[in-house]
Amino acid sequence: ELGVTLFNRLPRGMELTESGHALLTDARAILAQVDSTVAGVRRIARGELGRIAVGFTESATLHPFVPTVIRAFRDAAPDVALTVEESSTTDLVASMSQNRIDVAFIRSPVGDVSDITIETMMVEEMIVALPAAHPLVRNKRRKSVALAALAEEVFVLNRRPSGPGLYDTIIAACRAAGFSPRVEQEARKNLSTLSLVAAGLGISIIPASMRHVELESVSYLSIDDAPGLAAPLHLAYRDSGQSGAVKRFIVEARKCAKASGKRS
């Protein structure tokens, strides 16, 4: 096939020609590359190589579950290139539909999620954040308050476009408690919401994991008598076309959720 002599026959055995030596050197390199390619393809399928883009909402990043999952994934697949993006639930779902991100930690989803799986990782309670000088927290022994007791308060909430699911949950819970909340201030991010609370502009209802944000001028109380007031944490991912890295990430998230008891 090559049209050249690769070896010369000797009385006993044979010897490679110069062309034969050249082919042997390249053939060994080609076979080694084939083995390496096959191994690499198999590692990609197992989720040990490749890329993954992970999104999350601001409130999700404040929950210890999210960094726990990312650490577990990095330990399980250290050679996968991982990028992260923080945005609103609505924008994250849109980015996933457009294949810009692969998975996302979100709160309550809205809009068209027909091509996306929303898997609940855990559900946490919601609490009320109040200015430290608020009458409800002057009694240091008070640990909770009924939602109905907040009927006359001014509310500071995260803007609905940034987190429509939680916003609607808060409004619905307040109405179930017998009042419509008087929302006078809205912020783009949860941390900005807490800053407005610290400034004395109102109270807010937030996921319990945000209690870890320690601001000198903000106090936190649990909420009684509001069974529907909860903040789910979901992992969203496309129904089809999942890479090995995405499948491995989902597995690690499920393991962490199981270890945490799926509720905090």
Side-chain angles (χ1 to χ4, degrees):
E1 291 180 9
L2 298 178
V4 299
T5 300
L6 298 178
F7 55 86
N8 297 317
R9 296 186 181 277
L10 302 175
R12 299 181 65 178
M14 64 185 69
E15 66 177 1
L16 290 173
T17 64
E18 184 177 3
S19 296
H21 277 293
L23 177 61
L24 178 62
T25 299
D26 288 347
R28 285 172 172 162
I30 291 169
L31 291 175
Q33 182 61 49
V34 169
D35 290 342
S36 175
T37 300
V38 170
V41 168
R42 288 173 176 167
R43 290 191 69 196
I44 290 173
R46 292 195 300 265
E48 298 172 0
L49 282 177
R51 305 179 65 86
I52 186 171
V54 181
F56 39 70
T57 63
E58 182 207 21
S59 66
T61 62
L62 296 174
H63 197 295
F65 177 77
V66 173
T68 296
V69 173
I70 293 177
R71 280 196 302 269
F73 177 75
R74 298 301 290 155
D75 290 342
D79 295 328
V80 173
L82 184 147
T83 58
V84 297
E85 176 183 337
E86 180 187 317
S87 191
S88 68
T89 293
T90 302
D91 289 344
L92 290 173
V93 170
S95 293
M96 194 173 307
S97 297
Q98 297 162 10
N99 293 324
R100 293 202 302 267
I101 61 173
D102 300 302
V103 296
F105 292 99
I106 63 174
R107 295 297 187 174
S108 299
V110 294
D112 181 15
V113 292
S114 57
D115 59 340
I116 294 174
T117 294
I118 308 295
E119 185 172 339
T120 302
M121 295 286 106
M122 60 177 49
V123 179
E124 62 176 317
E125 67 175 358
M126 299 193 78
I127 60 175
V128 58
L130 311 96
H134 195 282
L136 286 173
V137 294
R138 287 176 183 167
N139 182 352
K140 301 300 182 181
R141 291 179 296 178
R142 179 189 288 272
K143 301 299 181 183
S144 63
V145 62
L147 183 59
L150 305 176
E152 302 301 321
E153 299 290 340
V154 172
F155 280 74
V156 178
L157 296 182
N158 199 20
R159 290 174 51 200
R160 189 179 186 279
S162 300
L166 288 187
Y167 188 100
D168 292 347
T169 295
I170 294 169
I171 299 299
C174 290
R175 288 176 177 168
F179 70 98
S180 293
R182 184 156 53 102
V183 182
E184 294 192 358
Q185 298 287 340
E186 292 186 349
R188 186 180 178 124
K189 292 179 175 289
N190 286 281
L191 292 178
S192 299
T193 299
L194 289 181
S195 294
L196 295 178
V197 172
L201 297 183
I203 69 170
S204 188
I205 295 177
I206 56 175
S209 53
M210 292 188 65
R211 192 191 294 265
H212 300 302
V213 180
E214 297 183 1
L215 295 177
E216 185 177 348
S217 301
V218 177
S219 296
Y220 303 104
L221 293 176
S222 298
I223 300 175
D224 297 327
D225 303 324
L229 191 59
L233 182 59
H234 307 290
L235 181 66
Y237 49 88
R238 286 185 296 276
D239 296 332
S240 59
Q242 296 172 0
S243 67
V246 170
K247 292 176 180 177
R248 180 174 283 267
F249 192 93
I250 294 170
V251 168
E252 294 301 327
R254 287 171 178 165
K255 288 180 182 177
C256 292
K258 184 177 181 180
S260 68
K262 274 213 168 187
R263 189 171 185 95
S264 68

